Amino acid sequence: MLKWNDNCYIGKTVTDTENIRRRLEEGKIVPEIYLLTLSDNPRNLMEILPAVSLVQRSLADLCPEIIGIAAGKEEAFQLTEDIVREVYEETGGVQIREYLKNR
């Protein structure tokens, strides 16, 4: 079972997020979708994963909390930038995990 943030960020061109989430939960391929996750590595803030990688159940089981959905790699980069900018403007830092907990 994938872990989703309650206030998941959605890219501007993503449509039908419920269908995307359902398909990912079922282990189906969702092409051109990228997921932003909180990183398990303390040296990184976030990770960008192609959704197709979650077809492998072992990878899906290891997937950190999903905080964003983007349509395409460029949109994933833009959404990452938007999240970091929002957190910085609101807190003066980049502690994304703490910001999302308290949001």
Side-chain angles (χ1 to χ4, degrees):
M1 180 120 202
L2 297 172
K3 299 169 283 274
W4 295 90
N5 186 278
D6 292 335
N7 298 306
C8 203
Y9 290 87
I10 307 298
K12 293 176 183 170
T13 64
V14 173
T15 58
D16 201 0
T17 57
E18 288 305 315
N19 184 44
I20 292 169
R21 288 177 69 152
R22 181 183 49 76
R23 289 180 57 85
L24 289 171
E25 291 289 346
E26 293 171 354
K28 295 183 179 175
I29 293 176
V30 185
E32 297 302 315
I33 294 295
Y34 286 79
L35 304 173
L36 282 63
T37 69
L38 293 174
S39 180
D40 282 338
N41 181 343
R43 299 173 85 184
N44 297 334
L45 296 173
M46 293 183 282
E47 306 283 344
I48 298 173
L49 306 172
V52 296
S53 67
L54 299 183
V55 171
Q56 295 180 31
R57 194 38 80 193
S58 59
L59 289 177
D61 291 342
L62 297 173
C63 184
E65 181 179 359
I66 298 168
I67 62 169
I69 303 172
K73 196 180 288 188
E74 289 301 317
E75 186 170 84
F77 292 143
Q78 183 62 52
L79 191 56
T80 300
E81 182 181 331
D82 294 346
I83 293 169
V84 172
R85 182 178 294 119
E86 177 183 322
V87 172
Y88 184 77
E89 288 174 356
E90 293 289 323
T91 67
V94 290
Q95 291 74 27
I96 294 170
R97 188 177 308 271
E98 290 78 17
Y99 176 78
L100 293 175
K101 272 186 199 174
N102 299 319
R103 190 171 112 168

